[in-house]
Amino acid sequence: MQKKLSLYVPGHKITVHDKMQTHYSYVLQKPPGTDLAFSPQLTPGQMLEMGIFEGHYLTDCTEEFPAEWFKKAKLNPNRPDITLNCFGVKSRLDRSDWIQRGWIFPPDPRG
């Protein structure tokens, strides 16, 4: 069951059970979107609505994240689809590329 963004507060425990992780949990240390190393121009919901990563990223783990992020998301759980991307182009690297660049590390298999 997806939760409302207002429930994602420090101390909230998130349990993950998806294609990449099972029975993993973590406790939020800070509110979402705070204390970042950069200043994002778009929210996660806006990016998902624009078809980020051809609509395939996060399709197997929607329960981990706030339901609001997915209200208008353009998603394809079966495969990446460049027609869902607002620019109509491939906008992602394969997971093997992320691993090679050191962006994937335990316990975060998504980077």
Side-chain angles (χ1 to χ4, degrees):
M1 169 191 264
Q2 288 179 314
K3 299 171 184 79
K4 293 185 178 203
L5 183 59
S6 61
L7 297 176
Y8 287 76
V9 296
H12 180 76
K13 182 179 179 181
I14 306 284
T15 300
V16 182
H17 185 76
D18 58 37
K19 284 172 53 177
M20 298 182 118
Q21 294 174 302
T22 57
H23 308 294
Y24 172 74
S25 62
Y26 60 92
V27 176
L28 292 177
Q29 300 299 307
K30 298 184 181 198
T34 62
D35 196 27
L36 300 174
F38 60 94
S39 297
Q41 295 180 350
L42 301 170
T43 66
Q46 290 169 322
M47 290 187 286
L48 289 165
E49 184 177 351
M50 294 172 74
I52 189 171
F53 303 120
E54 295 83 60
H56 192 60
Y57 190 61
L58 300 181
T59 56
D60 69 316
C61 61
T62 58
E63 299 297 319
E64 181 180 354
F65 303 102
E68 289 94 330
W69 290 7
F70 298 94
K71 283 184 179 178
K72 296 181 182 180
K74 293 178 184 171
L75 300 173
N76 184 339
N78 299 317
R79 62 177 173 74
D81 180 353
I82 64 169
T83 64
L84 295 178
N85 179 281
C86 69
F87 299 109
V89 299
K90 181 179 178 183
S91 61
R92 63 189 195 91
L93 295 173
D94 293 331
R95 187 168 185 273
S96 60
D97 291 314
W98 280 61
I99 292 169
Q100 181 181 7
R101 294 164 197 256
W103 299 339
I104 302 286
F105 53 90
D108 185 8
R110 295 182 190 276

